[in-house]
Amino acid sequence: MSSIQRFDVGPRMSEMAVHQGVVYLAGQIAEDGTQDIAGQTRQVLGAIDALLARAGSDKSKILRAQIYLADLAEFDAMNAVWEAWVVPGHTPPRATVQARLAKPEWKIEIVVTAAVA
């Protein structure tokens, strides 16, 4: 039986868990909620890059992404940042939905699952 590694464990959640060669990230949000959707998306993707690197993975190994937008009117602006970030030929399966996020200043939250290789 394989052990589960948890990172940045808190009383409510962990930022990331790794099990059997798969890394599971908690939802990532922007540190600076005053930025527009492009700025918040860049922050979130940077946080994802950093967490994946800690787990020994990277964005080319993302197996699935779930994107939560506070306002679907910002879909195109978010996609412009996303498309500049993803690795051509390694774009993951993805779902994008509108959702009321936990804080009103948050415009985006992204959850990813990736392979560790």
Side-chain angles (χ1 to χ4, degrees), residues 33-73:
T34 66
Q35 291 192 12
D36 66 6
I37 189 63
Q40 287 197 27
T41 302
R42 281 188 207 91
Q43 288 180 59
V44 170
L45 296 176
I48 290 168
D49 281 333
L51 285 167
L52 291 177
R54 286 179 62 197
S57 187
D58 64 63
K59 62 188 172 187
S60 72
K61 297 175 180 68
I62 294 175
L63 300 171
R64 176 176 125 166
Q66 297 167 282
I67 300 174
Y68 302 93
L69 289 177
D71 185 352
L72 281 179

Side-chain angles (χ1 to χ4, degrees), residues 29 40 68-70 99-109:
I29 48 87
Q40 287 197 27
Y68 302 93
L69 289 177
R100 182 174 297 169
L101 301 180
K103 291 189 177 180
E105 65 268 23
W106 292 345
K107 296 179 177 294
I108 185 168
E109 183 169 352

